[in-house]
Amino acid sequence: MSFRKFATAGLLGLLTSGAAHAAADQHPKKVGGIEEFHPITDFCGDKPMRVAYSTGSSTDPWRLISRAEFELEAAKCDNIKEARYVDAQGSVEQQISDITGLAAQGFDVIVVRPDGGEALLRAMSQAMKRGAKVVPFYGGTSWPGTPGKDYVGMVTADQNIEGKMAAEWIVEQLGGEGNVVMLGGAPGAVSTRNTYNGAMEVFAKHPGIKMLEDGPVTTNWDRAEYQKVMTSLLAKHDKIDAVMSDYGIGSMGAIRAYEIAGEKLPLWTTRDGNELACYWQENHDANPDFELFTTSAGTWLTRLALRKGVAAANDVENDEPTIIIDPVIDNTASEDAKFNPVCDPELPMGAHVSTFTMTKDEMRAIFE
């Protein structure tokens, strides 16, 4: 903030007081891509800081990777003295307690994967009032509350757009006619709902596309549950032309159900995964209709959320985009070779080749 030279000391003190001070802009509505990211060292500052990551569960490889992303990013700031991870183990009440407890303990930044949905908003708002900078991530662009007041900003991929892209691809491949199912995550999961709603906006314009189930089918992002659900769907429906999913590694469970049933694989849209890419390369010739469309898994969103929180805690501007348009990773129907699935045998099968923020050694260490 700049002031006129003739401002008195008393007036200067008033203008810079907490009551009148305008917090540094964290650009909570800015939309952009990964090419606009900055190093966290631009925002670290000097004051000692404690940061935390609250998640609703930690049962899949995506969660393991996102935690490592958070911890590796925090380690780049010498003044971050603690980076804590808390897991609510599927309990909304526990995650609410975790958030309020971290604020009470004086953590400066709390990154939140809002698995508990909108029920967590009050706890995040209360934590902000206690001085913590709360940054939820992966909750979609329609998350309630007020950025800058109830939380710093919702760091998220635009899941609605992801759903639209996947649906448009399916419409194109099927010529506007076919049967589709969507495999979702936890019951009522915001990210799944947003992806589904985006897809339905597209399918509504193509009456030849039929959703075989009323809404996304719950899998809890659990590989075994994916297999169980898909087995049931294959027995229930005579013809499935396309499967939509919002978790690529989980999709492998559903693919296993196809193998056991002796069925040919259909079109598949999801988020990228190393095992999925390797499987496609090995099995596409035997399943010529098994075309694949994926967007980035986005495990690196925890890094961006942490940077936004650290910048807010230091009251410095962070002009990185808060809403990310995820890049397309795989599109086997494209003639552009850059969209061919990449199978990396040097990485664990649960890894994501779109995780550009880690070395192979760092990724391998997560699974070891």
Side-chain angles (χ1 to χ4, degrees):
M1 184 180 293
S2 61
F3 304 95
R4 296 181 184 274
K5 291 182 180 179
F6 55 77
T8 65
L11 177 59
L12 182 60
L14 175 63
L15 290 171
T16 57
S17 70
H21 176 70
D25 192 358
Q26 303 307 319
H27 298 269
K29 298 297 183 182
K30 183 175 179 180
V31 179
I34 59 178
E35 68 278 359
E36 299 174 73
F37 286 179
H38 297 310
I40 194 173
T41 49
D42 288 354
F43 313 111
C44 291
D46 300 313
K47 68 179 182 181
M49 195 175 294
R50 298 163 72 211
V51 302
Y53 174 10
S54 162
T55 185
S57 66
S58 60
T59 57
D60 57 64
W62 193 97
R63 308 280 181 149
L64 296 175
I65 299 169
S66 72
R67 174 184 178 178
E69 300 260 24
F70 170 82
E71 292 171 344
L72 289 167
E73 192 76 354
K76 296 177 181 178
C77 289
D78 293 337
N79 56 312
I80 291 181
K81 303 304 180 183
E82 180 180 358
R84 186 179 298 183
Y85 178 79
V86 289
D87 173 15
Q89 298 183 336
S91 168
V92 176
E93 292 77 13
Q94 183 58 52
Q95 191 169 23
I96 290 171
S97 177
D98 288 342
I99 294 168
T100 56
L102 290 166
Q105 294 171 55
F107 276 80
D108 300 279
V109 177
I110 306 173
V111 169
V112 179
R113 171 69 192 258
D115 294 290
E118 297 175 8
L120 303 179
L121 183 61
R122 187 163 179 261
M124 291 192 289
S125 181
Q126 290 175 337
M128 288 280 286
K129 290 176 181 177
R130 298 196 69 152
K133 300 303 180 183
V134 181
V135 189
F137 76 99
Y138 218 66
T141 58
S142 59
W143 186 256
T146 305
K149 177 185 175 184
D150 298 312
Y151 47 88
V152 173
M154 169 56 77
V155 169
T156 186
D158 191 325
Q159 299 139 359
N160 189 274
I161 288 180
E162 288 183 341
K164 288 180 179 179
M165 290 193 300
E168 288 168 352
W169 183 83
I170 287 172
V171 169
E172 181 180 359
Q173 305 313 312
L174 293 180
E177 294 187 2
N179 298 332
V180 183
V181 295
M182 179 171 176
L183 308 179
V190 176
S191 57
T192 295
R193 183 182 67 207
N194 291 337
T195 303
Y196 177 80
N197 289 344
M200 290 307 294
E201 286 184 43
V202 174
F203 292 152
K205 302 173 184 177
H206 300 275
I209 297 293
K210 181 181 179 182
M211 290 297 290
L212 296 176
E213 297 291 318
D214 184 17
V217 184
T218 297
T219 67
N220 290 306
W221 295 301
D222 178 79
R223 185 180 182 128
E225 190 68 15
Y226 270 92
Q227 181 174 336
K228 180 180 177 181
V229 164
M230 198 71 240
T231 298
S232 176
L233 291 172
L234 286 171
K236 181 179 179 181
H237 301 294
D238 292 333
K239 188 170 183 285
I240 299 174
D241 300 295
V243 175
M244 300 182 69
S245 164
D246 59 357
Y247 182 38
I249 299 301
S251 287
M252 293 304 304
I255 288 171
R256 176 63 176 154
Y258 267 91
E259 289 182 330
I260 293 173
E263 298 279 354
K264 295 291 185 182
L265 288 159
L267 302 174
W268 213 284
T269 71
T270 187
R271 294 189 172 93
D272 83 286
N274 194 38
E275 184 177 5
L276 182 62
C278 294
Y279 184 92
W280 185 89
Q281 287 193 359
E282 294 169 1
N283 294 276
H284 179 254
D285 287 346
N287 294 269
D289 292 331
F290 179 38
E291 301 291 0
L292 191 61
F293 179 91
T294 75
T295 51
S296 172
T299 57
W300 33 262
L301 282 171
T302 45
R303 293 185 187 253
L304 177 57
L306 179 61
R307 294 196 297 270
K308 291 286 185 179
V310 168
N314 285 315
D315 199 21
V316 296
E317 180 183 9
N318 181 323
D319 66 352
E320 295 176 284
T322 304
I323 300 169
I324 305 300
I325 304 300
D326 263 351
V328 175
I329 303 302
D330 304 314
N331 180 359
T332 59
S334 172
E335 295 181 357
D336 190 335
K338 74 179 181 180
F339 293 117
N340 289 340
V342 175
C343 170
D344 191 335
E346 295 182 359
L347 287 176
M349 288 294 98
H352 302 283
V353 295
S354 65
T355 305
F356 63 95
T357 47
M358 282 189 188
T359 66
K360 290 186 179 183
D361 285 343
E362 288 172 338
M363 183 66 75
R364 282 191 287 262
I366 297 170
F367 292 87
E368 290 170 356

